[in-house]
Amino acid sequence: LYSISIEGGDVRCEGETTGLYYLTIWDGLMYWANDDDGRCLYRANLDGSEATKLTSNAVDSITVADGWIMYNDLGDYRLHMLNAETLEDHQLSLSGVYDPVISPYGIVGQDPTNSLHLCRTDLEGTAVNTIVDVRADDISVCEGYVFFTNKDDGNVYMVDIYGDNLIQL
């Protein structure tokens, strides 16, 4: 694991942590799936110290926001939310949403049951709603709009959170 300053200098080794996959940072800690350990979920300080294994199953699609670590558990193929403070795990009722993005509008991501089309669900994960019938990738949510790459044509689009006003950028 290496760090680098925003200006591009001060490159330094931050520890012997290897096999990082889906690395994300929140509140001074980093979270990742460890390729060297079957992609189990880990957490550590930014310098790689105090690494802690958080799951026994493999995970993917890790995202962290507002004190919650969201991930797909590849043992039960369900979407989970883990409280970053208490480490209490909550399984959501729906099957996984690939590459989930936590937003004020719910969870936005790819629907694995509908050809990876752009979808949205509430934070309880009770129902998945298709935003647009497009295979989406590189998803970001900002100010009520979803920005994504169309996996079929390679172009970048934006659409409002309800699926209206689709615009190619």
Side-chain angles (χ1 to χ4, degrees), residues 93-105:
S93 60
L94 70 131
S95 293
V97 172
Y98 292 156
D99 294 329
V101 176
I102 301 171
S103 79
Y105 309 97

Side-chain angles (χ1 to χ4, degrees), residues 22-31 41 61-71 80-85 88 90 100-108 123 141:
Y22 279 112
L23 175 68
T24 188
I25 296 172
W26 185 79
D27 198 28
L29 297 170
M30 60 182 180
Y31 298 84
L41 179 63
S61 298
I62 299 166
T63 187
V64 180
D66 295 330
W68 292 97
I69 302 119
M70 181 173 289
Y71 63 93
H80 286 248
M81 290 180 73
L82 185 70
N83 184 301
E85 186 176 317
E88 183 178 351
H90 301 275
V101 176
I102 301 171
S103 79
Y105 309 97
I107 302 163
V108 177
L123 289 177
V141 180

Side-chain angles (χ1 to χ4, degrees), residues 6 13-14 28 55 58 60-61 67 72 82 96 101 104 107 114 124-125 129 132 139 142 145 149 168:
I6 295 293
C13 181
E14 296 292 1
T55 66
D60 75 3
S61 298
N72 285 322
L82 185 70
V101 176
I107 302 163
N114 187 17
E124 287 78 36
N129 300 302
V132 291
I139 301 165
C142 182
Y145 288 92
T149 302
Q168 180 180 340

Side-chain angles (χ1 to χ4, degrees), residues 16-86:
E16 298 303 315
T17 304
T18 61
L20 300 169
Y21 185 73
Y22 279 112
L23 175 68
T24 188
I25 296 172
W26 185 79
D27 198 28
L29 297 170
M30 60 182 180
Y31 298 84
W32 75 95
N34 189 332
D35 256 352
D36 295 340
D37 187 20
R39 287 206 184 148
C40 293
L41 179 63
Y42 279 80
R43 165 173 86 179
N45 294 322
L46 294 178
D47 65 2
S49 67
E50 298 184 35
T52 304
K53 186 176 182 178
L54 300 177
T55 66
S56 57
N57 290 334
V59 303
D60 75 3
S61 298
I62 299 166
T63 187
V64 180
D66 295 330
W68 292 97
I69 302 119
M70 181 173 289
Y71 63 93
N72 285 322
D73 187 307
L74 299 179
D76 63 15
Y77 297 100
R78 297 283 182 182
L79 190 61
H80 286 248
M81 290 180 73
L82 185 70
N83 184 301
E85 186 176 317
T86 67

